[in-house]
Amino acid sequence: MEQNQSRIQLVAMKQSFFDQGLLDEQFIQLEELQDDVNPNFVEEIVILYYGDSLRLISSIEQALKERNLLDFNKLDTLMHQFTGSSSSIGAKKVKAECNLFREYCRAGNIEGCMKSFQQCKKEYASLRKKLEAYFQLARQVGSSEAACRSK
Amino acid sequence: MNLSNGKGSISTVTSTATMKSGEGSDQFPAGLRVLVVDDDPTCLMILEKMLRTCLYEVTKCNRAETALSLLRENKNGFDIVISDVHMPDMDGFKLLEHIGLEMDLPVIMMSADDGKSVVMKGVTHGACDYLIKPVRIEALKNIWQHVVRKKKNEWKDTEQSGSADEGDRHPKASDDGDYSSSANEGNWRNSRKRRDDEEDGDDRDDSSTLKKPRVVWSVELHQQFVAAVDQLGIDKAVPKKILELMNVPGLTRENVASHLQKYRLYLRRLSGVSQHNNLNNSFLSPQEASFGTISPMNGLDLQTLAAAGQLPAQSLATLQAAGLGRSTVKPGLSMPLMDQRNLFSFENPRLRFGEGQQQLLSSNKPSNLLHGVPTNMEPKQLANLHQSTQSLGNLNMRVTGSSTQGNPLLMQMAQSQPRGQMLSEITSPRVPRLPNILAQPALSNGISDGLLGRNGIASSSRAPSFNPVSQSSSYLNFPMNQSTEMSVSNFPLGSTPGISSMTNKGSFQPDVNSGIRASAGFPNYDIFNDLHQQKSRDWGMASQGPMYDSSSHANPLHGNIDVSPSVLVQQGYSSSQQPGHNRDPSLIGKSPFSLGEGLDHSNLQNGGQHFNPLIAESSTRVKSERVPDASSQTNLFPDHYGQEDLMSALLKQVEGIVQGENEFDFDGYSLDNIPV
């Protein structure tokens, strides 16, 4: 059935995230928090994360524009925040890239910072895209299930 | 789910449920009231959800300031606080300190950073736990243990001390079953230690263990303490009786004992030369003699203190701080300022005011105690009030540091006043109790406000010269929590609420309210400023401390000043040390606390009187001078701004504090613990 297929697809998608190392155990924790009171808890959290991330990414970008006069402390602080929120939702790969960036920061390696930041952005974009697809499907499954139930 | 919070600006605090005053012990730990502070909205939402799932009542905050005000408004509204380390508006550790000083709630820190040093910092600042992000719900499920443990320790302390209120504070008595406080050895050990060494300045307790149950000697508490002591009479003021009179739940006899010890030292110092206090005149005298030599430091006190009895460096610092500028003394402040290290030589023996304070001071982040206080006040430096203030600050800080436990006052100061340049220096956890002494008397009464309390408050603004000092002075002002506290802590001076409390003794013009009269006294540091400016160094008046409206007290140092006088004296002493100025009896009178212009010199006088012999003479003089000055900016301080000023400031502070204490009449108050 369509519904079943969708559900199977959803599960598979999620599993792939774990397999690819995009998400880690923390994501499961979030899912476990989801309940009737907050049926869309995970998605809500992730949306919050998007907002937060965009803000931080643009701040970092702005700071990196200084080119050779990078304020490493500031960058480290910003990235620390980004790391924190990424880890809260279980964004494993993004977190790893962020940590790499912070190491470059601590070492004062401008080039390394630039490069790893690009990586961060890339990972983040990729994750976001996948999660958006995932939640979209989940909503479909959920609504169709609800529709089924209402029948 | 409070999505709205998450999505929108999570600037407000959302409360999941009404705060009940106590948790239902039946369903404990369900209903535990948790306050979560984190600037990351994602994390905040997640934590809230997790905590709700654990059946706790959650309130979230995305700003530390908001959290603090929430906590202050609802003193008993929360059981535990969880806070992130890195926040934009305030450092998490700072918040931790504040909470520890003001509310003494268990605080859990969390961060994505799991570096050892950060975790260690959390531990040393008194966090009862440290969680690494991402936080799992399992970690949150057990946070109730910290609440229980804390209560249990307090309960135990109380029990041991024989006081009546054991356990009654903890509604969750059910859990006291077998909570061996092994985990919380700090607290336990603390209480035990406290018990054992009640009398000896035990600044160690605060440093020995992590933050044990801190007794925050807030202004109110100290006022209560002083009132009880006054009621009983200095000689008859034994911890047990004081405790009974105070009737503060959760306060142990040990807490009172250590606080009492510090207080006595403080009084002794204040009354060192002043005629008011017979207290320690004897004490101080010998010491003061030694002070004469000590010139650097503002001196006076420090040296005397040092001489007097091994005041713990901390105390010295405190005293100094008090004298100088009552800036918030941060426990950590080792009295760097003082060159007069001698002053601090007496490391905390005496100043251990209130263990609780100590805790604050030492254990707590020595945050501000002596912020401004330059660690080493070279004699020359002392010349500048700034310097002295700094040292004072340091002193205080130090004192507070060590005494943290006992000196809530100081601590408060420290806390409130980040001034601490000096403080930073003194960050040593074991701030010598010295400052505490000074701080204590003052602080508790609110003197802290004046003297110390002002720390944060006005002092900074004021002390132009002191800037550094002011910082430190903040702690001098006894840690009255933040300037705001000042009002609270107002020393019993009774005068203006808030900082003016100091004024009781009339010596201080309670400008403190806002911050020790910016004009005259620097709220905290003002003392120093005043000192410098005043130069009249009335040490005697030293107590002027933060601008307390001396007007209210015609009798400046009278009661409280006793304490301060000694302090002042000390200060005066140091000032006197200064070439030329020092021995000027007038200086004494001038009370170094020119603290704020408002400082009542009279206060200083009173306070200063205690000071060393020098002061003694001047004290008489001071007295006369003072009284009339009560409200005038008695510039007690001659223009020596240098050390003398500081000293006077200190003295003033001390006096102020002393005065603030609501006139504790030391007559007959024997400072037993004052290790001379």
Side-chain angles (χ1 to χ4, degrees), chain A residues 74-127:
Chain A
K74 184 169 167 210
L75 285 171
D76 190 64
T77 306
L78 287 169
M79 193 47 96
H80 174 83
Q81 293 179 42
F82 189 40
T83 310
S85 35
S86 300
S87 66
S88 297
I89 68 152
K92 195 170 171 187
K93 264 202 181 161
V94 177
K95 183 166 96 166
E97 288 300 331
C98 290
N99 281 331
L100 193 60
F101 176 91
R102 290 184 74 199
E103 277 183 32
Y104 282 127
C105 257
R106 285 191 272 260
N109 185 337
I110 299 175
E111 172 117 0
C113 282
M114 298 291 188
K115 260 172 105 183
S116 68
F117 181 61
Q118 294 308 316
Q119 270 305 108
C120 282
K121 280 204 293 184
K122 200 168 123 201
E123 288 296 337
Y124 168 76
S126 153
L127 176 70

Side-chain angles (χ1 to χ4, degrees), chain B residues 192-480:
Chain B
R192 294 220 188 264
K193 276 216 253 179
R194 253 184 269 140
R195 237 177 336 164
D196 297 27
D197 351 82
E198 219 175 68
E199 292 310 335
D200 70 353
D202 50 5
D203 44 358
R204 57 151 178 231
D205 44 34
D206 34 345
S207 47
S208 56
T209 51
L210 295 185
K211 312 261 178 157
K212 313 220 210 283
R214 290 170 284 225
V215 172
V216 176
W217 281 94
S218 65
V219 178
E220 301 153 346
L221 199 60
H222 182 78
Q223 280 176 354
Q224 275 181 281
F225 169 81
V226 174
V229 167
D230 287 350
Q231 195 175 327
L232 292 167
I234 289 293
D235 2 3
K236 298 205 194 52
V238 285
K240 183 137 192 206
K241 290 204 184 132
I242 296 173
L243 189 64
E244 285 166 12
L245 272 180
M246 284 176 75
N247 193 22
V248 171
L251 193 65
T252 69
R253 197 188 66 87
E254 283 85 19
N255 298 147
V256 174
S258 60
H259 191 76
L260 178 65
Q261 188 181 0
K262 297 195 177 91
Y263 183 71
R264 286 198 180 134
L265 284 174
Y266 171 78
L267 293 180
R268 188 152 40 128
R269 266 182 244 305
L270 288 182
S271 58
V273 274
S274 64
Q275 61 244 336
H276 302 306
N277 320 309
N278 326 324
L279 286 184
N280 303 314
N281 288 329
S282 52
F283 283 104
L284 292 178
S285 320
Q287 298 167 9
E288 301 187 330
S290 50
F291 286 131
T293 48
I294 306 184
S295 46
M297 260 295 286
N298 317 307
L300 243 156
D301 302 336
L302 293 178
Q303 301 202 350
T304 358
L305 289 177
Q310 309 292 305
L311 271 186
Q314 300 171 348
S315 358
L316 203 51
T318 331
L319 285 178
Q320 297 216 343
L324 291 178
R326 307 292 173 152
S327 39
T328 43
V329 181
K330 282 249 268 160
L333 305 174
S334 35
M335 320 231 280
L337 301 182
M338 324 229 330
D339 282 53
Q340 322 221 338
R341 308 224 214 172
N342 348 4
L343 292 178
F344 295 162
S345 47
F346 25 107
E347 293 264 289
N348 41 106
R350 298 171 315 148
L351 294 181
R352 311 252 183 146
F353 284 115
E355 301 294 287
Q357 297 195 350
Q358 293 290 338
Q359 284 194 352
L360 286 179
L361 294 175
S362 48
S363 48
N364 289 342
K365 334 14 151 113
S367 47
N368 314 308
L369 287 177
L370 295 175
H371 286 316
V373 180
T375 39
N376 302 301
M377 302 251 306
E378 307 283 307
K380 334 174 211 182
Q381 294 182 340
L382 289 177
N384 309 320
L385 261 179
H386 290 292
Q387 316 242 329
S388 37
T389 14
Q390 287 190 334
S391 46
L392 279 179
N394 290 332
L395 283 177
N396 288 337
M397 303 268 301
R398 287 224 307 170
V399 167
T400 48
S402 53
S403 47
T404 40
Q405 305 193 337
N407 289 331
L409 287 180
L410 287 179
M411 298 291 289
Q412 300 195 354
M413 299 209 308
Q415 297 265 329
S416 48
Q417 321 281 347
R419 307 229 195 200
Q421 292 173 7
M422 302 211 290
L423 292 176
S424 50
E425 302 204 337
I426 310 205
T427 47
S428 56
R430 313 271 318 231
V431 171
R433 304 272 174 128
L434 279 183
N436 292 331
I437 303 194
L438 288 180
Q440 299 229 339
L443 291 178
S444 40
N445 289 325
I447 297 195
S448 49
D449 285 337
L451 293 179
L452 300 178
R454 311 303 184 94
N455 313 337
I457 318 191
S459 49
S460 45
S461 53
R462 310 252 335 166
S465 53
F466 303 103
N467 290 330
V469 172
S470 20
Q471 307 278 323
S472 45
S473 45
S474 41
Y475 33 88
L476 283 182
N477 294 317
F478 294 124
M480 302 298 298

